[in-house]
Amino acid sequence: MATAASPASCFHSWSCNERGRQLSLSSSLFLPAASTNFQRDYGEKLITLSTYRSSVRRVPGFLSRKHKGFKSITEKNAKPRLLKVMISGAPASGKGTQCAYIVEKYGLLHISTGDLLRAEVAAGTENGLKAKKYMTKGQLVPDDIVIQMVKDRLEEADSQGKGWLLDGFPRSSSQADALKALGIKPDVFIVLDVPEEVLIERVVGRRLDPLTGKIYHLKYAPPESEDIASRLTQRIDDTEDKAKVRLQSYAMNVGALSSIYADVMQKVDGNRPKLLVFEEIDRVLTDLQDKYERGLTAGEEKIEVPSGVIYENKDNWRGIPTRLNSIPHSREIREYFYDDVCRATKNAVEDGIHKLKVQITIPELNPEMDVYRIGTLLELMRELAFSFARDGKRVKVCVQGSMGAGIFAGMPLQLAGTRRMLEVMDWGEYESKGTFINIGSIGANEVTDNDDMFILMAPQNAVGNCIIDDLQAMVIAAGDRPVIIVNPRLKDLPSAAGVMQIRGREKRMEFAGSFFVCYNFRLLYLSGTQYPILGALRMAYPSQYELYKRVDLDSGKERYALLGTFTEEPTTEEITAAFDGRDPKKLSNTGGLWKILFGSI
């Protein structure tokens, strides 16, 4: 019997930093991992198999392995890039709350021009004295004075050492142009998007406690007692009429800024609980930090691509990867989706959801396209399995077994040979396969007491043989252990004579639809085509569905602009309305080109 080695070493050969290895059916997917001196790399971080399952979460960084060209961020002369953030939001959009969250987590210097003006006046600075002349007359302080204040503040030592968050500034295109001329440009321009009717409700219901300065809302944050309620006051401009005027002014200003900051603008749905709003902002800022850290810590690996194919670097993405119509997909694109799927699936499992479905149909994972690659699906399965095995879970990766007997034995064409591929592909060294990861088939007889969870690769029906019966039996046998199906195709398929399986069909379809979708990504095209890509729909649990529109830039590149979010998967009509610039909640009969918009699943 093989001696059990450290589980940490089981997976170090395929760390999250190595997902980009170029993949073909004859390359690194099936090659043994290169041996490394684990004791040298990890020293005292070695742990034993018996302690792994209880202690793995407390061992920092033991899964990373050094790349060629790796340079530690703590090495001499390494200077981390600091975040530069602008945030904009209409009155009552929740901007102040989000600024507080951002500053608390990222430690950025928070600059509000209102606070800055008052501080400069109080300090009697040159800029403050200039501004005071206008403020005492009730006049607006000219842009050039405010811009100079902002510039001076950004040049101070604390800003240079922390990075900065510009709150509600610039407000106009002239201010933005002035900042740009001074070389002041954000890494990201966050816009909190909240419907006008919601903003008005928030404004009109707002109240102030004159004794404590605390802000209440009659509906969303009512006062704690009758005594407090009796002394609350309303700001003179917190009326519906005045709120509408302020909102119109804001809409005009942010519209002008959109063109200036189009390449860095991120719209965030602010009509959600504040923590969900911050979750999306946090993801944007974390992605930026990861990008900068990559540039400091790892040399970019050269990607060999066919002549004439251009990949857009990850640094240019806004929200989701671009150039998804370039095949084969780049390392960065595959890596993004592997991370996205693993994170969403783990979130759902940790929340106690046991029947899970992953639906991802980027071109290389869409069997309806001629660029479909089984190798990419296998790579996704391996990453998903490793993401749980690293937490000490014993994972069984299952693929559909053959059907029939003798000359009638076979399986769906898409899955032909995949069981053998799973058996021989690279699962790392030190007995990771056979200890934490095992290969099996779909069926109740594959469920053993040693399995903690099951990941099923693209289960699908075939004419004359319905996989749903085996799948249902397996789910029952698994009990409360997670069963995750990846890219299933569980609709009944007609035979050559057009005959469907009728008996029990309703119950089969009900079971097939009972899996909880924890991840969904699909591209949007026009009916009957698979090019050009018009947009994308993404949902990663626990976030909402995000609808993106692909935008061509003057530079010849592209970006994906967030149009809005949905609590449930939007219909074709709702997607059409959003692309037309209409409110999907106010649907009417739609016609024209967008009527035939659809997503390939």
Side-chain angles (χ1 to χ4, degrees):
M1 179 180 294
T3 303
S6 164
S9 59
C10 294
F11 311 113
H12 78 277
S13 63
W14 182 259
S15 71
C16 60
N17 290 327
E18 293 187 57
R19 294 185 182 120
R21 282 193 277 177
Q22 282 292 78
L23 172 66
S24 68
L25 296 186
S26 61
S27 64
S28 62
L29 184 64
F30 303 101
L31 294 176
S35 61
T36 59
N37 188 325
F38 186 78
Q39 178 68 49
R40 179 196 66 210
D41 286 349
Y42 297 103
E44 296 180 358
K45 294 178 183 176
L46 277 169
I47 53 178
T48 63
L49 183 62
S50 60
T51 61
Y52 173 63
R53 292 173 63 85
S54 62
S55 64
V56 62
R57 291 181 182 272
R58 298 193 295 274
V59 181
F62 74 96
L63 287 175
S64 61
R65 190 182 73 167
K66 295 182 179 180
H67 262 236
K68 182 178 181 181
F70 182 93
K71 186 179 292 184
S72 171
I73 197 168
T74 60
E75 288 182 23
K76 187 178 180 180
N77 297 327
K79 296 180 180 179
R81 169 85 174 269
L82 301 174
L83 288 176
K84 296 175 291 185
V85 182
M86 291 179 181
I87 186 168
S88 178
S93 63
K95 181 165 59 67
T97 298
Q98 298 306 318
C99 284
Y101 287 153
I102 293 170
V103 170
E104 180 179 357
K105 176 165 184 178
Y106 293 91
L108 304 181
L109 174 68
H110 181 207
I111 301 176
S112 164
T113 52
D115 294 341
L116 186 57
L117 277 168
R118 286 186 287 272
E120 294 272 356
V121 171
T125 64
E126 181 180 351
N127 288 328
L129 293 174
K130 291 179 181 178
K132 188 175 181 180
K133 295 178 181 178
Y134 295 92
M135 295 170 69
T136 54
K137 297 177 183 178
Q139 298 175 347
L140 291 176
V141 179
D143 283 353
D144 60 332
I145 297 177
V146 179
I147 294 291
Q148 188 61 46
M149 285 184 179
V150 172
K151 176 180 180 296
D152 292 346
R153 188 67 184 89
L154 292 178
E155 290 175 349
E156 292 183 20
D158 55 351
S159 175
Q160 297 295 311
K162 293 181 178 180
W164 48 261
L165 169 66
L166 267 179
D167 178 358
F169 189 84
R171 292 187 177 88
S172 65
S173 57
S174 60
Q175 291 174 346
D177 289 337
L179 290 178
K180 190 174 181 180
L182 292 171
I184 300 171
K185 186 177 180 182
D187 299 315
V188 61
F189 180 65
I190 298 170
V191 178
L192 297 179
D193 190 20
V194 182
E196 181 176 321
E197 60 270 20
V198 175
L199 291 169
I200 291 175
E201 182 185 36
R202 291 181 182 178
V203 168
V204 173
R206 206 159 48 182
R207 296 293 186 272
L208 170 69
D209 183 345
L211 291 183
T212 64
K214 184 176 179 179
I215 301 293
Y216 292 92
H217 192 281
L218 298 181
K219 179 179 179 181
Y220 301 114
E224 297 88 348
S225 67
E226 290 295 331
D227 289 340
I228 296 176
S230 65
R231 66 173 182 251
L232 296 184
T233 61
Q234 184 179 27
R235 280 174 47 176
I236 193 170
D237 54 349
D238 277 356
T239 63
E240 183 171 348
D241 290 341
K242 292 187 177 181
K244 286 183 176 180
V245 173
R246 290 157 61 199
L247 292 178
Q248 289 173 357
S249 175
Y250 168 79
M252 291 176 59
N253 290 335
V254 79
L257 295 174
S258 296
S259 60
I260 297 173
Y261 295 123
D263 59 332
V264 294
M265 188 171 74
Q266 285 284 346
K267 274 193 175 182
V268 175
D269 181 6
N271 190 24
R272 294 176 291 171
K274 57 188 178 182
L275 289 178
L276 277 181
V277 175
F278 180 66
E279 178 187 302
E280 184 174 342
I281 294 174
D282 186 31
R283 185 174 69 242
V284 170
L285 298 183
T286 299
D287 288 346
L288 273 174
Q289 282 192 326
D290 289 346
K291 179 191 74 172
Y292 297 148
E293 187 172 325
R294 272 182 182 278
L296 288 167
T297 61
E300 288 294 326
E301 297 177 2
K302 182 179 179 181
I303 303 173
E304 298 296 334
V305 299
S307 176
V309 177
I310 299 174
Y311 288 113
E312 187 162 355
N313 189 276
K314 183 178 179 181
D315 293 0
N316 296 317
W317 298 349
R318 300 300 169 195
I320 60 175
T322 56
R323 303 301 180 193
L324 292 174
N325 53 354
S326 294
I327 306 298
H329 291 322
S330 68
R331 172 179 65 84
E332 290 91 350
I333 287 176
R334 294 204 314 275
E335 180 183 272
Y336 168 88
F337 285 110
Y338 298 157
D339 285 342
D340 218 27
V341 169
C342 291
R343 186 183 303 115
T345 307
K346 292 188 72 175
N347 286 340
V349 169
E350 289 172 0
D351 279 354
I353 306 173
H354 303 304
K355 291 167 58 181
L356 298 168
K357 183 191 300 184
V358 171
Q359 298 178 157
I360 173 173
T361 51
I362 56 177
E364 286 190 10
L365 289 178
N366 185 352
E368 297 179 3
M369 299 184 73
D370 58 6
V371 295
Y372 175 77
R373 291 190 165 199
I374 191 64
T376 303
L377 179 59
L378 288 166
E379 199 173 35
L380 171 60
M381 294 292 293
R382 174 170 59 184
E383 280 305 292
L384 193 54
F386 273 154
S387 72
F388 288 101
R390 291 187 185 106
D391 288 342
K393 301 295 185 183
R394 292 167 296 189
V395 184
K396 180 163 283 184
V397 179
C398 301
V399 66
Q400 203 157 332
S402 61
M403 307 166 296
I407 62 172
F408 298 106
M411 64 194 310
L413 182 61
Q414 178 192 352
L415 299 176
T418 51
R419 172 64 184 261
R420 176 61 179 159
M421 294 177 192
L422 284 170
E423 295 282 0
V424 303
M425 65 192 282
D426 174 16
W427 289 99
E429 296 178 342
Y430 307 100
E431 307 297 332
S432 59
K433 186 167 79 73
T435 303
F436 287 91
I437 296 174
N438 286 286
I439 312 302
S441 300
I442 297 175
N445 61 328
E446 293 285 343
V447 178
T448 71
D449 292 339
N450 291 327
D451 302 317
D452 292 323
M453 61 190 307
F454 309 87
I455 303 176
L456 282 50
M457 185 172 78
Q460 54 191 277
N461 281 332
V463 175
N465 192 294
C466 181
I467 191 62
I468 293 182
D469 294 335
D470 289 335
L471 178 59
Q472 187 168 18
M474 188 173 195
V475 169
I476 293 172
D480 61 358
R481 287 172 285 182
V483 177
I484 304 164
I485 54 177
V486 179
N487 279 7
R489 305 177 74 188
L490 300 179
K491 293 182 179 180
D492 276 356
L493 301 177
S495 67
V499 178
M500 300 287 290
Q501 299 180 67
I502 302 300
R503 184 175 301 172
R505 182 176 187 275
E506 183 177 347
K507 288 187 176 180
R508 289 198 305 272
M509 292 300 97
E510 181 181 351
F511 173 77
S514 67
F515 283 79
F516 178 83
V517 178
C518 63
Y519 187 82
N520 189 332
F521 187 94
R522 59 186 170 108
L523 295 172
L524 304 174
Y525 309 91
L526 290 179
S527 180
T529 71
Q530 292 177 334
Y531 185 84
I533 297 171
L534 300 177
L537 185 68
R538 171 187 175 273
M539 187 281 289
Y541 180 84
S543 299
Q544 297 180 321
Y545 282 86
E546 300 168 343
L547 179 63
Y548 292 88
K549 180 179 181 180
R550 190 180 68 83
V551 179
D552 291 315
L553 304 177
D554 293 338
S555 60
K557 297 180 180 180
E558 63 181 27
R559 62 184 289 266
Y560 280 81
L562 181 64
L563 291 183
T565 59
F566 299 81
T567 56
E568 297 180 354
E569 184 173 4
T571 64
T572 300
E573 289 75 16
E574 289 173 326
I575 293 174
T576 298
F579 269 76
D580 277 343
R582 295 178 287 110
D583 186 348
K585 298 176 183 177
K586 302 176 181 178
L587 286 175
S588 58
N589 292 329
T590 57
L593 181 66
W594 296 108
K595 181 68 174 179
I596 54 176
L597 189 70
F598 87 112
S600 177
I601 297 182

